[in-house]
């Protein structure tokens, strides 16, 4: 690959695809597939109780931080904002990042660039690059597959193996629940840390694993716990946070790094909270006390199916593991696949019920989906089972099959998926209630723990129970009577336990704030029933920037 003639003097624009994202349009936006991870894939059946937030496009933020060229990041633009940026500023290189469903938006953005900035080099990256023959679908000069920082450094003639600088990233924004947007105060939201990309487990359906090299492959940005600790300290100071979302496909798999991080945390007295992705076999490398002392407060774990043969689940009693984690105050988000090869209309209901029996705090359900670039897609293509008339905009695992299943129809795949979300909500209640239950268990177990770091963390989490969370429990108890009276009674029991632990302030908060949240919850239900959707704001951020002469 030749370097750009201007090298590090080239002016760079890095952009995500344009919105809207939660409306059906000709460019592939889908109302069923909003730019909201939780409401899209986890709490979508929970109405006003659904956890709603947006996450920035972290990949282009990482690239911007790690090149010395003058660079703008344009995140969540409108078509008009994208065009305006091209006419307002001259750019030598325009990078567009996208997932597969938005390939038509990428095509349109390439067209706009050719029209408004014809001298610019167009670089397209992200999972959209995995589409076979994507070069013929979009008018781009370079298609980047895999990790983008080293590619962009190499293209600009910079040292591609230079240390990775981590930007200060707030993990979520415009968080809403019960019809209320939570205040965006500094330090109130976790920071995102990206230790590595890819996953060595190599599950056949996993787009992330496939995109970064496949089974056994991953790219570590920070090899050691010392490196990671230093990065976290810097971001702690800048964002005033004590919680971190570790955006690593299997963070706990790297035990040596994690345990060294724990040593450094103990030496410095850091009472941090860590939200992580981890497989069952990785979790079993640690004792519960090691996880607690490391600050693990939330785990996203692939459950897939009780009958699946994935190595990450072998030899583990998932029910016991999820229960044990919650008993130690660690919130669990399970992920279950609908439509695996062994699923039939006769057994799938039982499998969904088994998954719901785990009573995880959050539960993601996804259709078994052969996504371009994955081993599963190759396997299905070789067998002639891929459906050729499915729009890429509908290949996201939250709609219908894009392949011919041996026993379940495409229409039934959606019916089973929708029912799984509803059944989990109906049987287990709102995720917010389940989360409160786990937080209380952690507080009761560790409020007198010898390590002051651990006591401080659980006290910090429990404090939320005495304020807004207990008022939310008051609302959920009343509203859930219409859905499942038994769960409503469980919520009532939990609220009484909270008020027993914190008798004055918890009761006062429920009495004063509860009616206000009840009103906002019902207002939100009306808005959602009327078809209201949410869109993220547009961001423009410049680094090493000098106005063009």
């Amino acid at each position: 690959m030749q370097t750009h003639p201007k090298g590090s003097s080239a002016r760079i624009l890095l952009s995500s695809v344009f919105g809207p994202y939660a409306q059906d349009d000709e460019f592939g936006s889908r109302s069923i597939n909003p730019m909201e991870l939780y409401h899209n894939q986890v709490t979508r059946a929970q109405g006003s109780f659904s956890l709603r937030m947006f996450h920035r496009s972290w990949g282009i933020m990482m690239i911007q931080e790690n090149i010395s060229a003058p660079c703008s990041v344009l995140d969540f633009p409108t078509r008009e904002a994208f065009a305006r940026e091209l006419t307002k500023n001259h750019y030598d290189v325009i990078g567009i990042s996208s997932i597969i469903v938005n390939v038509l938006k990428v095509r349109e953005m390439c067209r706009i660039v050719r029209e408004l900035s014809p001298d610019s080099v167009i670089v397209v990256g992200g999972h959209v690059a995995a589409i076979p023959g994507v070069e013929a679908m979009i008018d781009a000069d370079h298609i980047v597959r895999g990790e983008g920082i080293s590619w962009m450094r190499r293209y600009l003639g910079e040292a591609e193996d230079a240390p990775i600088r981590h930007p200060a990233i707030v993990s979520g924004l415009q968080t809403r629940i019960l019809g209320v947007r939570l205040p965006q105060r500094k330090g109130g939201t976790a920071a995102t840390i990206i230790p590595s990309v890819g996953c060595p487990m190599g599950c056949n359906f996993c787009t992330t694993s496939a995109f970064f090299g496949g089974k056994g492959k991953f790219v570590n940005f920070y090899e050691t716990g010392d490196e990671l600790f230093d990065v976290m300290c810097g971001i702690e100071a800048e964002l005033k946070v004590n919680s971190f979302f570790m955006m690593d496909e299997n963070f706990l798999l790297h035990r040596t790094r994690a345990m060294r991080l724990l040593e450094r945390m103990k030496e410095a007295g850091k009472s941090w909270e860590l939200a992580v992705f981890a497989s069952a076999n990785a979790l079993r490398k640690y004792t519960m006390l090691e996880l607690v002392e490391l600050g693990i407060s939330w785990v996203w774990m692939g459950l897939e199916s009780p009958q699946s043969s994935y190595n990450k689940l072998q030899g583990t009693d998932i029910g016991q593991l999820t229960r044990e984690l919650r008993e130690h105050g660690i919130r669990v988000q399970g992920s279950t696949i609908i439509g695996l090869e062994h699923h039939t209309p006769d057994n799938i209901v039982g499998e969904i019920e088994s998954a719901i029996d785990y009573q995880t705090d959050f539960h993601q359900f996804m259709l078994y989906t052969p996504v371009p670039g994955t081993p599963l897609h190759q396997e299905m293509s070789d067998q002639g089972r891929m459906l050729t008339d499915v729009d890429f905009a509908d290949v996201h695992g939250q709609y219908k099959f894009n392949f011919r299943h041996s026993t379940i129809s495409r229409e039934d795949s959606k019916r089973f998926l929708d029912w799984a979300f509803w059944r989990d909500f109906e049987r287990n209640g709102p995720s917010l209630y389940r989360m409160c239950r786990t937080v209380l268990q952690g507080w009761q177990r560790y409020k007198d723990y010898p390590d002051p770091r651990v006591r401080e963390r659980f006290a910090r989490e429990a404090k939320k129970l005495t304020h807004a969370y207990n008022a939310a429990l008051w609302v959920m108890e009343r509203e859930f009577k219409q859905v499942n009276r038994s769960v409503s009674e469980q919520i009532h029991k939990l609220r009484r336990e909270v008020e027993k632990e914190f008798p004055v302030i918890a009761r006062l908060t429920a009495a004063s704030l509860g009616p206000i949240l009840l009103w906002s919850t019902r207002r939100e239900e009306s808005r959602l029933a009327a078809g209201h959707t949410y869109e993220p704001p547009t961001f423009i951020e410049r680094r090493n920037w000098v106005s063009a002469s």
Side-chain angles (χ1 to χ4, degrees):
M1 178 183 70
Q2 290 186 333
T3 58
H4 192 279
K6 294 186 178 180
S8 292
S9 298
R11 294 163 64 84
I12 314 293
L13 173 65
L14 301 175
S15 181
S16 60
V17 296
F18 60 84
Y21 310 99
Q23 302 173 33
D24 298 317
D25 68 17
E26 70 271 30
F27 297 111
S29 287
R30 295 289 189 266
S31 57
I32 198 175
N33 190 35
M35 189 69 74
E36 300 175 78
L37 174 63
Y38 282 93
H39 185 67
N40 185 348
Q41 301 179 13
V42 183
T43 56
R44 58 188 277 190
Q46 298 188 22
S48 59
F49 302 124
S50 179
L51 178 59
R52 312 193 67 145
M53 69 174 71
F54 302 107
H55 300 281
R56 292 288 307 277
S57 301
W58 298 330
I60 55 178
M61 295 174 74
M62 288 285 288
I63 294 173
Q64 181 191 44
E65 185 73 16
N66 284 280
I67 57 176
S68 59
C71 180
S72 299
V73 159
L74 182 60
D75 209 359
F76 309 132
T78 61
R79 284 176 75 217
E80 294 73 21
F82 180 67
R84 187 164 55 248
E85 185 63 24
L86 295 182
T87 55
K88 181 180 176 183
N89 294 289
H90 169 73
Y91 289 103
D92 300 297
V93 179
I94 296 173
I96 302 168
S97 176
S98 174
I99 56 176
I100 287 171
V101 297
N102 290 319
V103 63
L104 293 184
K105 293 191 176 187
V106 175
R107 183 170 69 182
E108 173 65 5
M109 293 174 79
C110 290
R111 185 197 67 78
I112 293 172
V113 173
R114 296 303 188 207
E115 177 184 330
L116 299 181
S117 187
D119 295 332
S120 299
V121 174
I122 301 175
V123 180
V124 170
H127 288 278
V128 71
I131 297 176
V134 70
E135 294 86 350
M137 300 174 64
I138 59 177
D139 183 11
D141 298 294
H142 300 281
I143 305 293
V144 179
R145 296 177 174 87
E147 188 268 302
I149 296 174
S150 59
W151 189 97
M152 189 61 77
R153 284 173 164 176
R154 188 163 61 250
Y155 183 57
L156 298 176
E158 300 182 4
E160 62 180 284
D161 57 351
I164 297 295
R165 297 184 300 271
H166 203 296
I169 303 173
V170 176
S171 65
L173 59 133
Q174 295 194 357
T175 303
R176 298 180 66 90
I177 196 162
L178 304 183
V180 175
R181 184 192 291 186
L182 304 187
Q184 289 186 227
R185 59 180 178 80
K186 194 162 191 176
T189 305
T192 292
I193 302 290
I194 306 176
S196 66
V197 290
C199 179
M201 298 305 294
C203 296
N204 65 338
F205 57 82
C206 182
T207 58
T208 305
S209 177
F211 193 68
F212 292 103
K215 190 176 182 65
K217 304 289 183 61
F218 58 94
V219 179
N220 261 350
F221 293 145
Y222 304 106
E223 294 280 352
T224 68
D226 292 299
E227 292 175 308
L228 205 51
F229 179 80
D230 291 341
V231 167
M232 293 168 74
C233 284
I235 292 177
E236 174 192 42
E238 183 171 349
L239 296 182
K240 309 303 180 188
V241 295
N242 47 40
S243 58
F244 299 90
F245 174 39
M246 311 302 285
M247 186 59 205
D248 183 302
E249 289 295 311
N250 207 337
F251 178 73
L252 294 176
L253 198 61
H254 309 284
R255 178 176 166 84
T256 300
R257 182 177 66 184
M259 294 306 290
R260 178 55 182 161
L261 175 62
L262 174 56
E263 289 177 14
R264 295 295 303 275
M265 287 170 61
K266 285 183 173 181
E267 291 169 2
K270 296 296 185 183
S271 178
W272 288 340
E273 300 167 35
L274 276 60
V276 303
F277 293 83
S279 58
N281 65 341
L283 282 162
R284 281 308 188 196
K285 294 174 180 281
Y286 302 80
T287 66
M288 284 295 150
L289 288 184
E290 285 174 335
L291 294 174
V292 167
E293 293 189 348
L294 184 56
I296 305 300
S297 61
W298 181 95
V299 171
W300 188 318
M301 177 170 53
L303 307 177
E304 320 316 358
S305 159
Q307 305 303 318
S308 59
S309 58
Y310 295 108
N311 291 335
K312 63 187 180 182
L313 300 170
Q314 298 308 302
T316 300
D317 183 332
I318 297 297
Q320 178 186 349
L321 177 59
T322 55
R323 183 172 56 254
E324 194 175 356
L325 288 166
R326 289 185 288 108
E327 288 172 351
H328 287 265
I330 300 173
R331 283 149 280 181
V332 179
Q333 175 160 322
S335 180
T336 292
I337 296 178
I338 306 295
L340 288 163
E341 294 283 19
H342 70 275
H343 283 160
T344 69
D346 294 328
N347 69 22
I348 194 168
V349 170
E351 291 234 340
I352 292 171
E353 294 281 14
S354 294
I356 292 169
D357 280 343
Y358 296 142
Q359 297 183 21
T360 57
D361 300 271
F362 296 88
H363 209 131
Q364 177 193 48
F365 293 94
M366 292 285 285
L367 289 177
Y368 197 46
T369 303
V371 176
T374 63
L376 179 61
H377 186 273
Q378 184 63 54
E379 177 186 340
M380 293 295 179
S381 297
D382 292 344
Q383 296 175 7
R385 294 171 62 186
M386 294 300 304
L387 299 175
T388 57
D389 58 347
V390 176
D391 196 310
F392 279 118
D394 295 318
V395 182
H396 49 71
Q398 290 296 327
Y399 182 47
K400 298 177 181 178
F401 284 153
N402 65 330
F403 73 106
R404 282 190 293 276
H405 192 278
S406 58
T407 62
I408 298 173
S409 71
R410 188 165 188 258
E411 292 302 318
D412 279 348
S413 70
K414 183 179 187 305
R415 184 169 62 84
F416 286 127
L417 179 67
D418 292 345
W419 182 79
F421 279 111
W422 169 254
R423 184 61 171 157
D424 177 58
F425 180 51
E426 177 189 38
R427 277 188 53 190
N428 292 327
S431 287
L432 179 58
Y433 147 64
R434 305 179 221 174
M435 187 176 70
C436 290
R437 179 183 59 195
T438 299
V439 168
L440 182 63
Q441 286 181 300
W443 160 255
Q444 291 173 331
R445 191 175 199 121
Y446 289 103
K447 60 184 176 182
D448 298 317
Y449 193 70
D451 187 338
R453 300 179 313 106
V454 174
R455 294 200 307 271
E456 179 185 340
R457 175 168 71 85
F458 280 100
R460 192 166 59 237
E461 294 184 359
K463 186 177 180 180
K464 300 172 186 175
L465 289 175
T466 68
H467 295 87
Y469 283 4
N470 199 48
L473 288 171
W474 185 90
V475 173
M476 290 184 282
E477 176 188 336
R478 279 154 180 75
E479 294 296 271
F480 219 74
K481 289 177 182 177
Q482 304 169 44
V483 180
N484 187 331
R485 182 169 289 273
S486 174
V487 172
S488 173
E489 292 169 356
Q490 293 170 30
I491 298 173
H492 172 80
K493 181 180 178 182
L494 176 63
R495 187 167 64 83
R496 290 305 186 200
E497 284 189 62
V498 170
E499 293 174 354
K500 183 178 178 182
E501 288 282 341
F502 312 100
V504 178
I505 193 167
R507 290 176 183 173
L508 286 175
T509 304
S512 59
L513 184 57
I516 297 172
L517 289 181
L518 180 60
W519 172 82
S520 65
T521 296
R522 291 175 176 174
R523 180 190 61 174
E524 182 75 350
E525 289 288 355
S526 298
R527 285 160 60 88
L528 297 176
H532 183 78
T533 58
Y534 292 101
E535 298 285 341
T538 298
F539 293 85
I540 179 73
E541 296 159 339
R542 307 191 195 279
R543 187 174 183 274
N544 303 323
W545 192 253
V546 199
S547 297
S549 56

